[in-house]
């Protein structure tokens, strides 16, 4: 009976440990996805106010959008990432977040990595029509 109990206890601890560590990875994945989406969104925020007020559209350049996204991304403590200009109207934000394991460390896995990406298009729209 004691061998069965010991085997069951070790198995239960391993299963709970795996659930805890992979739960932490899910949280890291959500954090990476949020940082990617919010940074891409922030990239679409800067506008040329003078041009917009004169009716010439207020679009920013993709380089300005990428810089705004980088600035926003830098505000995340536990997330790293890159921002790149894909084409003349699109930026892409790719993020990485890590979860330091607790139980999987016992078998040599010290961290689990989560990656996410999001894109943002920078365009001018006047009266509902993309310019």
């Amino acid at each position: 009976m004691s061998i069965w109990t010991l085997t069951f206890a070790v198995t239960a601890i391993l299963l709970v440990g795996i659930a805890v560590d992979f739960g932490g990875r899910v949280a890291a994945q959500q954090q990476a996805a949020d940082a990617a989406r919010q940074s891409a969104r922030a990239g679409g925020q800067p506008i040329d106010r003078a041009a917009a007020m004169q009716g010439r559209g207020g679009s920013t350049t993709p380089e300005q959008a990428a810089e705004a996204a980088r600035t926003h991304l830098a505000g995340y403590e536990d997330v790293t990432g890159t921002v790149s200009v894909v084409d003349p109207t699109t930026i892409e934000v790719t993020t990485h977040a890590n979860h330091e394991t607790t139980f999987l460390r016992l078998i040599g896995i010290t961290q689990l990595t989560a990656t996410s990406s999001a894109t943002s298009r920078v365009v001018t729209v006047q009266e509902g029509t993309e310019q």
Side-chain angles (χ1 to χ4, degrees), residues 21-95:
D21 284 335
F22 279 101
R25 187 201 176 277
V26 168
Q29 178 67 40
Q30 290 172 337
Q31 186 178 26
D34 179 60
R37 286 190 301 263
Q38 294 303 323
S39 296
R41 179 204 48 80
Q45 298 301 309
I47 63 169
D48 181 349
R49 287 179 174 78
M53 291 177 74
Q54 294 172 1
R56 296 182 285 127
S59 183
T60 185
T61 66
E63 290 76 19
Q64 291 169 321
E67 186 56 36
R70 281 186 200 96
T71 300
H72 187 83
L73 183 59
Y76 286 89
E77 248 181 61
D78 299 330
V79 178
T80 60
T82 58
V83 179
S84 58
V85 176
V86 176
D87 61 42
T89 62
T90 307
I91 63 167
E92 180 177 43
V93 180
T94 303
T95 57

Side-chain angles (χ1 to χ4, degrees), residues 114-128:
T115 302
S116 188
S117 66
T119 59
S120 179
R121 291 188 61 231
V122 181
V123 296
T124 300
V125 177
Q126 288 182 334
E127 297 178 13

